[in-house]
Amino acid sequence: MWVKAGIVFMEKQQKSQFDWLPGFQEMTACQEEKEETETMQDLLAPERLQKEEQEYWKDYEYFLQKMPFVAREIWAVADALLDRYEYAGSSLYVPYPDEVTILKIADMVYDKLKYHETEPDMQNGDGSREANPYYVKEELRDSRTPFRNLIVVILYGTIAYRRQRYQRRQKVFHNR
């Protein structure tokens, strides 16, 4: 058993609980080879990081555009709120982020967009109106409504993207 960044990894000879997944063993073998070759000399050059960041963002932006309007709206609000946590030592960049902090951010997103749950119908992009799939009667609203769950899912995805970006940047600016 060995530890990397606070995560405990088992020796290669022990079976994983995901070995039954097609391609899982091949994927982990590639990751193990990559980890063995990584050293401090593998730090990225700033120019290479910038190019990679642009490629990642282009790909990320493409899929954002494919999201339904409500999901893009949630993402935009969540992204703006997460900008407040974009600093070294932020609770979002620790190995195990505090779930209470994340749920507080989800509540802030909900407060800005709760009209999606309160209006029984919504306006389409062409000006017509249709039934709002996120509408919930007031007495049934709680922290487990479909709209709140959608907020949490998008928030976790956005945080994951930001954490990966942060880790890539650490490869460039670590000890500089």
Side-chain angles (χ1 to χ4, degrees):
M1 183 165 49
W2 49 281
V3 178
K4 182 177 181 181
I7 301 172
V8 177
F9 294 92
M10 303 311 254
E11 295 293 333
K12 292 179 188 177
Q13 66 268 18
Q14 291 183 350
K15 285 218 158 261
S16 167
Q17 62 182 349
F18 299 107
D19 284 346
W20 59 272
L21 287 170
F24 182 80
Q25 291 176 341
E26 292 80 3
M27 179 189 72
T28 55
C30 292
Q31 288 176 343
E32 289 168 1
E33 289 172 13
K34 185 177 180 182
E35 288 172 2
E36 290 172 3
T37 60
E38 286 181 353
T39 63
M40 287 303 287
Q41 273 52 354
D42 291 337
L43 295 177
L44 296 174
E47 299 80 21
R48 183 170 162 213
L49 173 75
Q50 185 177 10
K51 183 178 180 188
E52 282 187 11
E53 286 290 327
Q54 289 171 347
E55 291 171 8
Y56 288 132
W57 176 250
K58 186 177 177 183
D59 190 47
Y60 190 68
E61 189 176 40
Y62 171 78
F63 286 104
L64 287 175
Q65 291 172 357
K66 298 296 180 188
M67 287 182 174
F69 175 76
V70 173
R72 278 183 289 170
E73 190 176 12
I74 292 169
W75 176 84
V77 172
D79 194 57
L81 288 171
L82 287 172
D83 284 344
R84 298 178 186 173
Y85 295 87
E86 190 83 23
Y87 58 88
S90 169
S91 60
L92 296 182
Y93 300 126
V94 296
Y96 299 100
D98 179 29
E99 189 172 353
V100 173
T101 302
I102 294 171
L103 293 176
K104 283 182 181 179
I105 297 169
D107 287 341
M108 289 188 281
V109 172
Y110 177 79
D111 287 342
K112 293 190 179 298
L113 300 173
K114 63 184 169 189
Y115 68 87
H116 285 290
E117 277 190 351
T118 60
E119 297 177 8
D121 59 340
M122 62 185 215
Q123 188 169 353
N124 288 332
D126 61 2
S128 64
R129 297 194 71 78
E130 68 177 33
N132 182 357
Y134 301 107
Y135 174 72
V136 176
K137 292 180 182 177
E138 188 170 352
E139 61 271 7
L140 299 176
R141 287 185 206 134
D142 62 9
S143 63
R144 297 178 306 250
T145 62
F147 186 67
R148 282 188 182 258
N149 288 339
L150 180 61
I151 290 172
V152 171
V153 167
I154 292 172
L155 186 61
Y156 276 124
T158 305
I159 290 170
Y161 173 80
R162 285 173 174 256
R163 286 171 58 93
Q164 290 172 355
R165 182 180 64 191
Y166 178 79
Q167 291 166 0
R168 285 190 304 271
R169 290 178 179 174
Q170 291 302 304
K171 290 182 180 180
V172 173
F173 301 109
H174 183 69
N175 294 329
R176 288 187 189 207

